[in-house]
Amino acid sequence: QFLLKNEVEKLAALANYSTITKEMVSRLGTVTLDADTFDMVKLLTSGQADKAQQKLKTLLALQNEPIMITGALISNYLDLYRVLLGRRSRRGSAMWPRTLATRAIGITASIYRKTALRFKRAQLEDCLHILQRLDTDLKSSKLDADLLMQKALCELALAGRA
């Protein structure tokens, strides 16, 4: 009930407290923060940083806290790192479904594997360092959180291409 109320309040604020349309709900409704941030990761890894930035703007417009978005991004990148390392381990892919933190949101191990295999280990480590800096900056800097997040997404896009 709390989640539903929160979502309705977000949509109402977005609609300037006027009529909420079906189009608004379908365009801006969130499945979960983890699923939305994984979509951002997939957009970044496929070279669509502009769409990832738009997804970020949507999440912020829906009043998701920047630190929560960052935490979800960290969780997704850690899952990708686990998948990549699991591929090199003796256990192989049999352990993937049990180690993925976000398996409950409908993202299958095969989708994680496909996304993870776009990276080299060093690239994922760079991405995790970028997110660690973002987390620290959000907690300690007086700079605008939205700008810090936009900057980090650009850095993630570049790190994923290297």
Side-chain angles (χ1 to χ4, degrees):
Q1 184 178 359
F2 171 76
L3 291 176
L4 180 59
K5 181 181 177 195
N6 194 28
E7 288 300 310
V8 170
E9 287 175 1
K10 288 178 185 179
L11 286 167
L14 190 65
N16 292 322
Y17 300 95
S18 63
T19 304
I20 299 171
T21 65
K22 281 185 180 182
E23 191 270 336
M24 292 171 94
V25 173
S26 65
R27 188 184 60 157
L28 299 177
T30 56
V31 178
T32 69
L33 192 56
D34 283 329
D36 286 332
T37 54
F38 188 71
D39 286 344
M40 289 170 55
V41 172
K42 289 191 305 185
L43 289 167
L44 290 170
T45 59
S46 64
Q48 299 179 61
D50 55 335
K51 289 184 180 177
Q53 290 282 359
Q54 188 58 46
K55 185 79 158 176
L56 173 63
K57 287 179 185 176
T58 299
L59 291 174
L60 293 169
L62 291 171
Q63 301 174 1
N64 287 288
E65 290 294 323
I67 198 72
M68 298 300 289
I69 296 170
T70 302
L73 282 168
I74 290 169
S75 176
N76 281 303
Y77 275 95
L78 280 172
D79 281 346
L80 293 173
Y81 191 69
R82 287 183 190 111
V83 169
L84 195 65
L85 292 181
R87 183 172 166 100
R88 295 181 182 160
S89 77
R90 292 183 183 175
R91 294 182 198 170
S93 62
M95 290 298 292
W96 295 352
R98 285 179 268 168
T99 61
L100 296 179
T102 56
R103 62 180 153 63
I105 61 173
I107 302 171
T108 64
S110 64
I111 294 171
Y112 265 98
R113 185 174 71 80
K114 182 180 176 183
T115 305
L117 293 178
R118 294 181 178 184
F119 289 97
K120 294 178 182 166
R121 180 179 176 171
Q123 288 174 296
L124 279 174
E125 289 171 351
D126 287 345
C127 290
L128 289 168
H129 288 295
I130 290 165
L131 290 167
Q132 180 183 19
R133 274 195 317 273
L134 173 60
D135 184 67
T136 301
D137 288 346
L138 287 171
K139 292 175 180 172
S140 63
S141 176
K142 294 188 187 285
L143 295 174
D144 182 64
D146 295 5
L147 290 176
L148 289 170
M149 296 206 62
Q150 291 171 19
K151 176 182 172 267
L153 283 186
C154 291
E155 291 173 344
L156 289 169
L158 290 172
R161 284 191 209 166

